[in-house]
Amino acid sequence: MKRALPVLVLSVAGLIPLWRYTPSQDTGSSPAASAPASTPSVSSSGGTTSTVVSGSTVDTEKGPVQVEVTFDGDKIASVRMLRQPNHPQTTAAVPRLIEETLQAQSADIDTVSGATVTSDGYKESLQAAIDARG
């Protein structure tokens, strides 16, 4: 009887990580772009031309990543995440990635520490959108 309580407590403590485990959403065996970048859509207002391009969907081990880039002429005016992993690190990293993109005006940006997988997927999708624009 003296051993029953510690065995029960240790068994429950060992099972807690299993109950809390959530598998990643990755369905492929390797990270790769699963969809090509979209065709640019162009709109014009007041003499400025805006082009909106969606980057390719990049499957990462954390989940899919896809960006949409709005260009005003040759300048990147805004970036919006269409798809992103549902992780706290990703949520914190996205504003930093977008800010760096707007400053650099390219996909040549730093990876956000703690969100390396998402950062790499973001940069790949961003580069696909930039390339699709031509």
Side-chain angles (χ1 to χ4, degrees):
M1 185 65 179
K2 291 181 180 181
R3 288 189 225 170
L5 187 57
V7 168
L8 179 64
V9 169
L10 291 174
S11 296
V12 170
L15 290 174
I16 288 174
L18 291 175
W19 291 329
R20 296 183 52 126
Y21 175 75
T22 55
S24 68
Q25 297 173 350
D26 183 22
T27 57
S29 60
S30 66
S34 64
S38 70
T39 306
S41 64
V42 179
S43 64
S44 181
S45 62
T48 60
T49 302
S50 291
T51 307
V52 179
V53 183
S54 296
S56 59
T57 300
V58 179
D59 290 324
T60 69
E61 59 190 61
K62 300 290 184 183
V65 176
Q66 184 181 23
V67 300
E68 179 183 81
V69 182
T70 303
F71 295 93
D72 279 337
D74 290 336
K75 183 180 177 188
I76 297 174
S78 67
V79 179
R80 184 171 69 107
M81 292 293 282
L82 297 178
R83 299 178 79 185
Q84 70 184 44
N86 187 19
H87 289 281
Q89 296 92 342
T90 298
T91 305
V94 168
R96 291 176 58 191
L97 291 167
I98 291 172
E99 181 181 332
E100 283 195 37
T101 301
L102 296 175
Q103 288 177 358
Q105 290 295 304
S106 73
D108 186 22
I109 59 174
D110 291 332
T111 299
V112 175
S113 179
T116 304
V117 172
T118 300
S119 296
D120 291 343
Y122 172 90
K123 291 193 288 186
E124 188 175 333
S125 183
L126 177 64
Q127 187 62 56
I130 293 169
D131 293 345
R133 181 178 173 273

